[in-house]
C-alpha cells in the first residue's frame, strides 16, 4: 500500500511560480511511475505530467510544456512539480498518483493506469 500526500499549493498571481511536492510512504516508491493530474471546477481530471520510476523520462500535457517540470527524489520518496509562468487557467486541484508496476508512454496520461492517489492540493492563480 502506498499513501501519497501533496503539499505546496496556494494562491499566486499570474506569471508567478509554485512548487508542489508529493510525499509517498512505502519502500517500493522508487519503482513506481508517478504522475500529476489536475481538476478544475466543472471539468474532468486531466493529465499534467508524468515521470518514469528512475526519472529518465518525463511527459507533459501540451498546455504545460515549457512551463512545468516534473522531477523526483527517490531517496526522499518525493515527486515534485515545478510550475512557472502560471496562468489563470492553471487554477485547479492538483493530484499526484502512483502506478504499481511498469507503464508505457501511452499510459502515462491515463487516469485508470494509476493505482494510488493523493488527496489533492489547491492551486489558485489570480489574473
Amino acid at each position: 500500500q502506498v499513501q501519497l500526500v501533496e503539499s505546496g499549493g496556494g494562491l499566486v498571481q499570474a506569471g508567478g511560480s509554485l512548487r508542489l511536492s508529493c510525499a509517498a510512504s512505502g519502500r517500493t516508491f522508487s519503482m513506481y511511475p508517478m504522475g500529476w493530474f489536475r481538476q478544475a471546477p466543472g471539468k474532468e481530471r486531466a493529465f499534467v505530467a508524468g515521470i518514469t520510476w528512475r526519472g529518465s523520462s518525463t511527459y507533459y500535457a501540451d498546455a504545460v510544456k515549457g512551463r512545468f517540470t516534473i522531477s523526483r527524489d527517490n531517496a526522499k520518496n518525493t515527486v515534485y512539480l515545478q510550475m512557472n509562468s502560471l496562468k489563470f487557467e492553471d487554477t485547479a486541484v492538483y493530484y499526484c498518483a502512483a502506478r504499481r508496476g511498469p507503464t508505457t508512454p501511452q499510459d502515462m496520461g491515463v487516469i485508470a493506469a494509476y493505482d494510488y492517489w493523493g488527496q489533492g492540493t489547491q492551486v489558485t492563480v489570480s489574473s
Side-chain angles (χ1 to χ4, degrees):
Q1 189 74 11
V2 173
Q3 291 186 324
L4 305 173
V5 179
E6 301 97 334
S7 62
L11 175 64
V12 64
Q13 288 188 332
S17 299
L18 282 175
R19 188 176 82 155
L20 305 183
S21 299
C22 174
S25 65
R27 56 186 177 180
T28 56
F29 165 81
S30 61
M31 299 176 65
Y32 293 166
M34 299 291 295
W36 284 97
F37 292 76
R38 66 186 182 186
Q39 187 166 16
K43 295 188 176 181
E44 295 184 350
R45 192 170 298 189
F47 173 72
V48 175
I51 188 167
T52 52
W53 68 276
R54 284 190 295 186
S56 55
S57 296
T58 56
Y59 306 88
Y60 297 93
D62 288 342
V64 307
K65 279 181 183 176
R67 300 188 298 122
F68 290 12
T69 302
I70 188 171
S71 62
R72 66 190 298 162
D73 185 340
N74 287 342
K76 296 182 178 180
N77 278 12
T78 302
V79 63
Y80 304 98
L81 185 67
Q82 177 67 43
M83 305 186 295
N84 299 327
S85 302
L86 282 162
K87 304 177 181 179
F88 175 75
E89 50 265 39
D90 294 319
T91 296
V93 177
Y94 283 71
Y95 300 90
C96 70
R99 174 176 169 85
R100 187 179 61 240
T103 187
T104 64
Q106 293 77 12
D107 281 346
M108 289 298 290
V110 177
I111 292 174
Y114 291 83
D115 301 289
Y116 306 104
W117 292 83
Q119 83 290 347
T121 185
Q122 176 70 47
V123 172
T124 303
V125 184
S126 62
S127 57

